[in-house]
């Protein structure tokens, strides 16, 4: 099975975002991709700053049944596609992700862990949910969620063998390096991807934005990581597809053959 993570920039123009999604989906389909993961804030872009006002405004808010999400599902067809957007629900707004095929919605996630600068724009989610898809049982996280080991562990404990992590992860605002590859946030972004895959023995599909929005400069570095923590494909800082071909159940079973981290947990000792 071919799995791909997208590195690309998505801004405020919703029509432009949707056209770009459709083009990337078509390109992935031509390469026989079965699971395609887009970055956080795929429809309408991310914030332009964290912790203070900026001139980019807030991303447009879509409800769960919006025609924009229906258009993404129609483009997906028989492919499993994950995208991020700003969700409007019950008078609140969430940083959300949805997993779809042409048949409809397979799973949803609202970002649980938030940096302080997100609080004026988004309300926090409160759950991590694994769900079944044509490519296997999986779950989703949104960027800062992956900093917390409990988030990915919860999904793995609920049977997810694939984790899609959608990010709009920027370079450091307080200690910016001259080159993205030298940035401390670049190192942490890669570290969390590999650690979460290895500690849970799952296939990790990490997609991130590129380019800039306001003061934020996004890292790219989308990748597919195997259950041993090895990077199978990556984009570095440029836009593109990180594409890997693997048998997910076989790879997960092989990783857990001798040391099975979930089976060998000792929760009674962690209190």
């Amino acid at each position: 099975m071919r799995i791909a993570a997208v590195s690309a920039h998505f801004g405020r123009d919703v029509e432009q975002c949707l056209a770009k999604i459709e083009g990337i989906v078509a390109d992935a389909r031509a390469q026989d991709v079965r699971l395609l993961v887009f970055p956080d804030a795929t429809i309408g872009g991310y914030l332009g700053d964290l912790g203070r006002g900026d001139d980019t405004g807030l991303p447009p808010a879509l409800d769960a049944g919006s025609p924009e999400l229906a258009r993404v599902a129609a483009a997906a067809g028989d492919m499993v596609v994950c995208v991020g957007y700003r969700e409007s629900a019950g008078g609140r707004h969430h940083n959300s992700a949805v997993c779809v095929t042409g048949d409809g919605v397979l799973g949803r996630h609202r970002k649980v862990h938030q940096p302080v600068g997100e609080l004026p724009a988004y309300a926090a989610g409160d759950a991590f949910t694994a769900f079944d898809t044509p490519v296997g049982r999986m779950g989703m996280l949104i960027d800062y969620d992956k900093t917390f080991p409990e988030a990915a562990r919860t999904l793995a404990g609920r049977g997810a063998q694939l984790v899609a992590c959608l990010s709009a992860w920027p370079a450091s605002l307080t200690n910016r390096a001259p080159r993205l590859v030298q940035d401390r946030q670049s190192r942490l972004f890669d570290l969390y991807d590999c650690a979460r895959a290895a500690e849970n023995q799952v296939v990790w599909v990490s997609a991130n934005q590129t380019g800039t929005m306001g003061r934020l400069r996004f890292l790219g570095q989308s990748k597919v990581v195997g259950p041993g923590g090895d990077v199978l494909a990556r984009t570095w800082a440029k836009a593109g597809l990180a594409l890997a071909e693997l048998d997910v159940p076989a790879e997960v079973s092989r990783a857990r053959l001798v040391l099975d981290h979930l089976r060998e947990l000792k929760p009674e000792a962690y209190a």
Side-chain angles (χ1 to χ4, degrees), residues 54-124:
D54 70 272
D55 59 4
T56 68
L58 291 173
L62 310 175
D63 63 46
S66 72
E68 291 86 356
L69 292 177
R71 184 169 161 184
V72 173
D78 61 357
M79 190 186 304
V80 177
V81 175
C82 302
V83 298
Y85 68 107
R86 185 167 178 250
E87 179 189 5
S88 175
R92 308 175 82 190
H93 296 99
H94 300 274
N95 190 348
S96 294
V98 63
C99 181
V100 299
T101 67
D103 292 329
V105 173
L106 303 173
R108 298 183 184 275
H109 176 62
R110 292 172 174 170
K111 184 176 179 179
V112 173
H113 301 99
Q114 296 178 284
V116 172
E118 275 194 356
L119 298 180
Y122 302 108

Side-chain angles (χ1 to χ4, degrees), residues 24-239:
I24 294 171
V25 168
D27 181 57
R29 177 170 287 108
Q31 299 180 68
D32 296 322
V33 170
R34 296 283 312 285
L35 170 64
L36 182 65
V37 179
F38 282 87
D40 179 24
T42 326
I43 304 174
Y46 186 59
L47 306 178
D49 203 351
L50 291 173
R52 70 184 198 186
D54 70 272
D55 59 4
T56 68
L58 291 173
L62 310 175
D63 63 46
S66 72
E68 291 86 356
L69 292 177
R71 184 169 161 184
V72 173
D78 61 357
M79 190 186 304
V80 177
V81 175
C82 302
V83 298
Y85 68 107
R86 185 167 178 250
E87 179 189 5
S88 175
R92 308 175 82 190
H93 296 99
H94 300 274
N95 190 348
S96 294
V98 63
C99 181
V100 299
T101 67
D103 292 329
V105 173
L106 303 173
R108 298 183 184 275
H109 176 62
R110 292 172 174 170
K111 184 176 179 179
V112 173
H113 301 99
Q114 296 178 284
V116 172
E118 275 194 356
L119 298 180
Y122 302 108
D126 59 7
F128 299 101
T129 305
F131 49 91
D132 293 318
T133 79
V135 297
R137 191 162 176 81
M138 64 179 289
M140 296 184 292
L141 301 176
I142 297 176
D143 51 32
Y144 195 44
D145 281 336
K146 75 177 180 182
T147 304
F148 300 85
E150 297 86 352
R153 177 54 53 85
T154 298
L155 292 176
R158 291 174 177 169
Q161 293 191 335
L162 284 154
V163 175
C165 189
L166 296 76
S167 294
W169 194 290
S172 174
L173 284 170
T174 58
N175 188 24
R176 181 167 289 186
R179 298 177 60 222
L180 282 178
V181 71
Q182 299 169 330
D183 194 274
R184 65 186 178 92
Q185 287 298 329
S186 177
R187 179 181 63 83
L188 288 172
F189 186 83
D190 284 347
L191 177 65
Y192 293 141
D193 283 339
C194 294
R196 299 294 94 88
E199 67 196 7
N200 294 294
Q201 299 170 306
V202 296
V203 175
W204 188 269
V205 191
S206 175
N208 195 25
Q209 291 241 18
T210 60
T212 62
M213 176 70 77
R215 291 181 66 228
L216 302 184
R217 179 177 61 159
F218 301 112
L219 297 172
Q221 297 179 199
S222 297
K223 63 182 74 65
V224 179
V225 186
D230 45 324
V231 177
L232 305 178
R234 68 185 309 159
T235 65
W236 300 103
K238 295 183 179 180

Side-chain angles (χ1 to χ4, degrees), residues 234-258:
R234 68 185 309 159
T235 65
W236 300 103
K238 295 183 179 180
L241 284 182
L243 193 156
E245 186 168 357
L246 69 162
D247 182 330
V248 172
E251 290 294 328
V252 170
S253 294
R254 186 178 299 114
R256 297 176 180 178
L257 185 61
V258 176

Side-chain angles (χ1 to χ4, degrees), residues 153 201 256-268 270:
R153 177 54 53 85
Q201 299 170 306
R256 297 176 180 178
L257 185 61
V258 176
L259 299 176
D260 187 326
H261 301 167
L262 296 176
R263 186 182 63 214
E264 292 152 3
L265 284 170
K266 298 292 184 183
E268 67 277 5
Y270 306 149

